Amino acid sequence: MFLMKAKFWIEELVFNAVSSIVAAFWEEQSGRIQKARRQKQKLKAEEKSLREKRELERAVILDTSVLVDGRILDIVKTGFFDRPLVITQNVIDELQKISDNKNKIKRIRGRRGLDIVKDLKKRTKVLMPDIKTKVKEVDKQLVMYAKDKKLKLMTLDFNLNKVAKISGIKVLNINDLVNSLKTIVLPGEELKVRVIQRGKEKKQGVGYLSDGTMVIIEKGEGMVDKEVITKVTKIIQTPAGKIIFATIKKTF
């Protein structure tokens, strides 16, 4: 009887010892696995953060007005603008809201903006971060994000342009680009222009160059719907662009 009890006691002792050793082994292995997993996740997060940082180094963030306008797509198509574009989820949400507006014009503009986003994604690198902030106004979100990530901001919105510049953000304005690319003319040069309407002042006619530059033609009031050769007398710069003043040199 004593031997049987001793046998059971020894077996139980061995079993408990082995169980303890096995449990300790698996606990250690589990700890190593979890540690390796945490290190892998940390490394992956660091690589993702570094990749995003590199992508944002040359990126330009777009606001809603630029996407609704649509000319950014034409600029990208030319190949002159090859920087990554940042279009935040908040801007997409705003475009979606506009596209659901009861006003037909606004609906069309909102849908065009969404179509522009799709086309841009096909032609260039587009980053679409979801900005997490308690600030509800999209413009403020863009300014905060651009300042934090040191991004350039492209906008056609006058107020956002001013706020961004005050905040120390470099602003790109497509209108400024368009105006800078307009035909350069000098006083004395000749231009062929079609007079399309009467001017505001008496006897003036108005025409436009192919780039949209307005040409005000002295004594052109009676030449509406006709082409004339004009001589440039002066050029003035306005906030809306250049205006050319000219006189009629030859009619057809």
Side-chain angles (χ1 to χ4, degrees), residues 210-225:
S210 59
D211 62 9
T213 302
M214 178 185 287
V215 182
I216 297 177
I217 306 163
E218 296 297 327
K219 298 181 180 180
E221 182 181 31
M223 304 300 294
V224 176
D225 291 331

Side-chain angles (χ1 to χ4, degrees), residues 45 77 89 91-92 117 139 163 167 181 188 205 216-217 221 233-234 236:
K77 285 180 179 179
Q89 186 59 48
V91 168
I92 298 297
V117 174
D139 287 356
V163 172
S167 300
L181 294 176
I216 297 177
I217 306 163
E221 182 181 31
T233 56
K234 66 177 179 179
I236 64 172

Side-chain angles (χ1 to χ4, degrees), residues 3-250:
L3 292 175
M4 289 291 294
K5 289 183 179 180
K7 179 182 178 182
F8 288 138
W9 177 78
I10 293 172
E11 287 179 349
E12 184 177 2
L13 184 64
V14 172
F15 176 79
N16 290 337
V18 171
S19 297
S20 179
I21 292 171
V22 171
F25 172 78
W26 283 115
E27 185 177 355
E28 183 179 356
Q29 286 297 100
S30 177
R32 288 178 180 176
I33 293 172
Q34 291 179 2
K35 183 178 179 180
R37 187 177 298 166
R38 286 195 297 269
Q39 288 177 338
K40 186 177 180 180
Q41 291 175 342
K42 182 180 178 181
L43 182 60
K44 188 175 180 179
E46 288 175 350
E47 289 177 347
K48 181 180 179 182
S49 177
L50 182 60
R51 185 171 64 251
E52 290 177 347
K53 184 178 180 180
R54 287 174 178 172
E55 289 176 336
L56 287 171
E57 281 180 354
R58 299 176 57 255
V60 174
I61 188 169
L62 309 184
D63 81 332
T64 307
S65 67
V66 171
L67 295 168
V68 168
D69 174 81
R71 286 177 291 176
I72 181 60
L73 178 60
D74 294 322
I75 295 173
V76 169
K77 285 180 179 179
T78 65
F80 283 101
F81 192 91
D82 61 353
R83 290 172 175 264
L85 301 176
V86 176
I87 304 173
T88 67
Q89 186 59 48
N90 300 317
V91 168
I92 298 297
D93 293 342
E94 190 170 57
L95 286 172
Q96 185 64 57
K97 187 176 180 180
I98 296 172
S99 67
D100 292 333
N101 196 285
K102 293 181 180 180
N103 184 287
K104 182 179 179 180
I105 303 275
K106 290 184 177 181
R107 280 203 311 273
I108 293 173
R109 287 164 63 86
R111 290 169 184 174
R112 179 174 64 184
L114 292 171
D115 289 338
I116 292 295
V117 174
K118 292 179 183 177
D119 289 338
L120 286 173
K121 290 173 69 176
K122 295 176 183 178
R123 294 181 176 275
T124 190
K125 178 70 174 179
V126 176
L127 307 174
M128 305 184 72
D130 188 3
I131 301 176
K132 301 297 183 181
T133 175
K134 293 181 180 180
V135 177
K136 293 184 178 181
E137 293 182 32
V138 176
D139 287 356
K140 287 185 178 180
Q141 293 173 358
L142 295 180
V143 169
M144 290 171 60
Y145 189 78
K147 189 172 183 178
D148 179 56
K149 302 297 182 181
K150 297 180 175 57
L151 302 178
K152 292 181 179 180
L153 171 66
M154 186 178 292
T155 180
L156 291 169
D157 185 285
F158 179 77
N159 291 327
L160 179 55
N161 190 317
K162 289 180 64 177
V163 172
K165 285 183 177 179
I166 292 172
S167 300
I169 299 167
K170 174 67 176 178
V171 179
L172 303 179
N173 190 309
I174 292 179
N175 288 334
D176 292 340
L177 174 63
V178 171
N179 287 332
S180 69
L181 294 176
K182 286 188 175 181
T183 305
I184 298 175
V185 297
L186 298 172
E189 288 191 38
E190 294 183 1
L191 299 172
K192 186 177 181 180
V193 184
R194 173 175 288 277
V195 183
I196 63 170
Q197 65 187 49
R198 295 178 179 180
K200 291 183 179 180
E201 301 297 328
K202 188 176 181 181
K203 297 183 180 180
Q204 286 182 343
V206 176
Y208 293 89
L209 301 184
S210 59
D211 62 9
T213 302
M214 178 185 287
V215 182
I216 297 177
I217 306 163
E218 296 297 327
K219 298 181 180 180
E221 182 181 31
M223 304 300 294
V224 176
D225 291 331
K226 295 180 181 179
E227 288 189 336
V228 295
I229 299 296
T230 65
K231 183 177 181 180
V232 178
T233 56
K234 66 177 179 179
I235 303 102
I236 64 172
Q237 182 69 49
T238 72
K242 296 176 183 176
I243 299 179
I244 298 172
F245 289 84
T247 57
I248 296 176
K249 185 174 182 181
K250 181 181 177 181

